[in-house]
């Protein structure tokens, strides 16, 4: 992950309805593909529990890049489908990173 | 969740070793209890996949509150145990929220 202080993180918390139906996985993969090619995209991480609660973090070089991605026409369609068909509840925070650090046992730095 | 623009989010991403051993759950519960009582704590959410990858978001009123909690003696001990016994890899970002929004199907706002 190349994100650090001065970059932005978008926190997307969501609770999905149970079934993995209606093309959710295909849409999610397509959105990752599109985001990856979007100007200012730095990386993302996604975690979801079997009960449907999940968090996706995406990292961006600037707030302008995030707004541009938010308004991307295919992403807008995906958001609408998500609200209608897939998400029971969601929460989004856009935040500017002030500090970051990490450790990795395999690399011997923890 | 009462956090919004001007507040801070701490993103803690981690990959745990497999076993749920050595008192991890008890320590995690104790840390949540302590954090909840800490000045400036606003809330938290935690998600973990069966493969051990997880994200904990905690929300704070200020960066000073986060530093104070980081340096809490019991939290320091928990961090050391985590690095030694529980985490294969982790990443932390402290970030200041600039925008936030949410939706809830049950409440009818999505």
């Amino acid at each position: 992950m190349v994100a650090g202080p001065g970059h932005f993180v978008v926190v997307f918390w969501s609770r999905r309805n149970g079934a993995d139906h209606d093309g959710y996985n295909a849409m999610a993969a397509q959105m990752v593909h599109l985001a990856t090619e979007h100007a200012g995209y730095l990386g993302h991480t996604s975690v979801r529990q079997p009960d449907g609660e999940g968090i996706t973090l995406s990292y961006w070089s600037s707030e302008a890049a995030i707004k541009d991605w938010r308004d991307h026409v295919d992403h807008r369609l995906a958001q609408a489908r998500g609200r209608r068909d897939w998400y029971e509840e969601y929460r989004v925070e856009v935040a500017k990173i002030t500090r970051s650090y990490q450790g990795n046992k395999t690399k011997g730095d923890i």
Side-chain angles (χ1 to χ4, degrees), chain A residues 3-9 42 58-60 95-101:
Chain A
H7 295 140
F8 285 79
V9 57
L42 299 175
S58 65
Y59 297 88
W60 301 85
K96 186 174 191 176
I97 298 172
T98 58
R99 290 187 293 125
S100 65
Y101 50 97

Side-chain angles (χ1 to χ4, degrees), chain A residues 8-12 41 43-45 56-60 66 69:
Chain A
F8 285 79
V9 57
V10 178
V11 175
F12 179 63
Y41 169 88
H44 86 284
T45 308
T56 295
L57 307 169
S58 65
Y59 297 88
W60 301 85
I66 294 167
W69 166 241

